[in-house]
Amino acid sequence: AGLVGVVMCNTRPLMPAPGGAERVVGNNPLAIAMPSSDQQAFVVDMALSATAMGKIRLADSARKPIPQGWAADEHGQPTTDPAAAIKGMLLPAAGPKGFGLAMAIDLMCGGLSGGAIGDEVAPLYGDPATAYRCSHLFMALDPQRFGISAFDSRVGQFANRIRASKKAAESATVYAPGDLERARRMAHGGECPVSPDLLLKLNECAAQVGAERKAP
């Protein structure tokens, strides 16, 4: 709609403070989208952990190790074992910088709304009788209210400058934010590929839900 969108959310605690060994702050995601004159919107959408828990679960399903720096075990020790990471903690992106930004999002979402913050937020997939209590903050900024009439052109020009920038020796393409995800979506033709292990688990879950519905 020609506006700048900013969205953030807090989650249950998943990350320790720098030097800590206890989950105290969520990997609170932040998304920013801006219109572009080339119809390829600038999109940044990321969790504040070094990686999302979903990627660690995928690695666990594929029985593959995770890179160093993604997570710590339940004792706060860095680990490449996805199973230990799931029981343990995600590490913040960029160390103290990512942790500080995640904490700020916690306070802006839960604090400004009077909602839950920190460990007041319950697990998303925990007890169904316990409310999740996460909070969100949505902002829409109209460039014209700032006296800017060609903001989308400037976004497009800047993004194209990024795409045309000098490539590193091992790189085939330089992407602007949002390009890689857009390319993957087009390559998959509207489908979402999943691993055989994940498909098996989904089918097992569907069968379980079906059986529960049929039960008297």
Side-chain angles (χ1 to χ4, degrees):
L3 307 180
V4 176
V6 182
V7 182
M8 55 191 77
C9 171
N10 65 352
T11 77
R12 68 185 175 99
L14 290 167
M15 304 192 304
E22 178 186 3
R23 294 178 173 187
V24 290
V25 168
N27 63 337
N28 305 334
L30 169 68
I32 302 173
M34 303 183 191
S36 175
S37 56
D38 61 4
Q39 304 303 310
Q40 299 190 70
F42 171 98
V43 180
V44 171
D45 184 1
M46 59 185 180
L48 268 300
S49 51
T51 191
M53 181 61 81
K55 290 187 178 180
I56 293 177
R57 293 189 185 279
L58 287 174
D60 186 46
S61 296
R63 298 177 178 82
K64 294 181 179 179
I66 58 174
Q68 195 70 248
W70 275 17
D73 63 20
E74 56 189 327
H75 305 294
Q77 298 301 308
T79 183
T80 58
D81 179 358
I86 292 170
K87 293 179 181 178
M89 293 160 278
L90 298 178
L91 293 175
K97 296 178 182 179
F99 181 84
L101 188 52
M103 186 173 176
I105 290 175
D106 219 334
L107 292 168
M108 291 179 70
C109 291
L112 287 178
S113 68
I117 59 174
D119 54 16
E120 296 171 353
V121 183
L124 177 59
Y125 304 110
D127 182 357
T130 302
Y132 183 30
R133 298 190 65 208
C134 75
S135 300
H136 303 78
L137 177 63
F138 298 86
M139 291 186 283
L141 308 177
D142 186 351
Q144 293 194 17
R145 297 297 181 101
F146 293 81
I148 306 298
S149 60
F151 181 73
D152 60 342
S153 295
R154 300 195 71 188
V155 173
Q157 290 168 7
F158 194 14
N160 285 328
R161 168 69 181 92
I162 301 301
R163 296 178 186 115
S165 61
K166 185 177 180 180
K167 301 179 183 68
E170 68 279 6
S171 298
T173 306
V174 177
Y175 294 99
D179 286 355
L180 188 57
E181 291 77 9
R182 197 162 28 242
R184 285 174 177 164
R185 187 164 59 246
M186 293 178 64
H188 293 149
E191 296 181 350
C192 181
V194 297
S195 68
D197 285 346
L198 178 56
L199 181 60
L200 178 63
K201 289 182 179 179
L202 289 171
N203 286 330
E204 290 174 351
C205 183
Q208 180 182 348
V209 171
E212 290 173 353
R213 286 182 172 179
K214 292 178 182 179

